[in-house]
């Protein structure tokens, strides 16, 4: 099982980026999917998560600017980031709770990270 993230880059303050993360492999089902971010020397923090019941949760710092969405058929989660600020600069990681074929229970998997840099 693998999570592949993409879409990071360099953007000016006020600009937008769209991150995508696709899950692949021997997957039976996918539960919650989300995005976290982490700066060097700091703890990884939740940005947004989307549950299988279509409930979304956002960090207070991104509410009204970021939107998380899922494409269940494509096993993909997106993060649309608008009105970006320099303080949004971080490495962004996707994660997903995945139940693998032939295994009982779910495990949490992480993508490799994609860098978002917002210049002032």
């Amino acid at each position: 099982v693998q999570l592949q993230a993409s879409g990071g880059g360099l953007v000016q303050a006020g600009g937008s980026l769209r991150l995508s993360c696709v899950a692949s492999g021997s997957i039976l089902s996918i539960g919650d999917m989300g995005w976290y971010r982490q700066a060097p020397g700091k703890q990884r923090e939740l940005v947004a998560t989307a549950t299988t019941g279509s409930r979304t949760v956002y960090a207070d710092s991104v509410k009204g600017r970021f939107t998380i969405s899922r494409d269940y058929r494509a096993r993909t989660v997106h993060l649309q980031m608008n009105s970006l600020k320099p303080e949004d600069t971080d490495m962004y990681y996707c994660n997903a709770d995945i139940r693998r074929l032939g295994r009982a229970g779910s495990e949490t998997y992480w993508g490799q990270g994609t860098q978002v840099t917002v210049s002032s």
Side-chain angles (χ1 to χ4, degrees):
V1 172
Q2 192 175 34
L3 293 180
Q4 183 68 42
S6 62
L10 173 64
V11 65
Q12 287 188 329
S16 298
L17 283 173
R18 181 177 170 86
L19 305 183
S20 296
C21 177
V22 59
S24 62
S26 300
I27 297 171
L28 178 63
S29 63
I30 303 177
D32 296 355
M33 299 186 82
W35 290 93
Y36 287 70
R37 63 188 181 187
Q38 185 173 24
K42 293 189 176 181
Q43 282 195 329
R44 193 169 293 186
E45 62 177 17
L46 172 70
V47 177
T49 189
T51 71
T52 52
S54 300
R55 188 172 73 95
T56 56
V57 177
Y58 295 94
D60 287 343
S61 59
V62 307
K63 284 180 181 177
R65 300 187 298 122
F66 292 9
T67 302
I68 189 170
S69 61
R70 293 178 63 165
D71 182 334
Y72 288 87
R73 179 175 294 184
R75 296 174 173 175
T76 301
V77 61
H78 303 286
L79 185 68
Q80 178 66 43
M81 305 186 294
N82 298 329
S83 302
L84 282 161
K85 303 175 181 179
E87 50 263 44
D88 294 318
T89 296
D90 266 327
M91 184 70 77
Y92 283 69
Y93 298 88
C94 61
N95 82 337
D97 293 330
I98 294 175
R99 184 174 177 185
R100 296 178 60 175
L101 289 168
R103 293 196 180 183
S106 297
E107 300 173 65
T108 298
Y109 290 84
W110 291 89
Q112 83 284 9
T114 184
Q115 178 66 38
V116 171
T117 303
V118 185
S119 63
S120 57

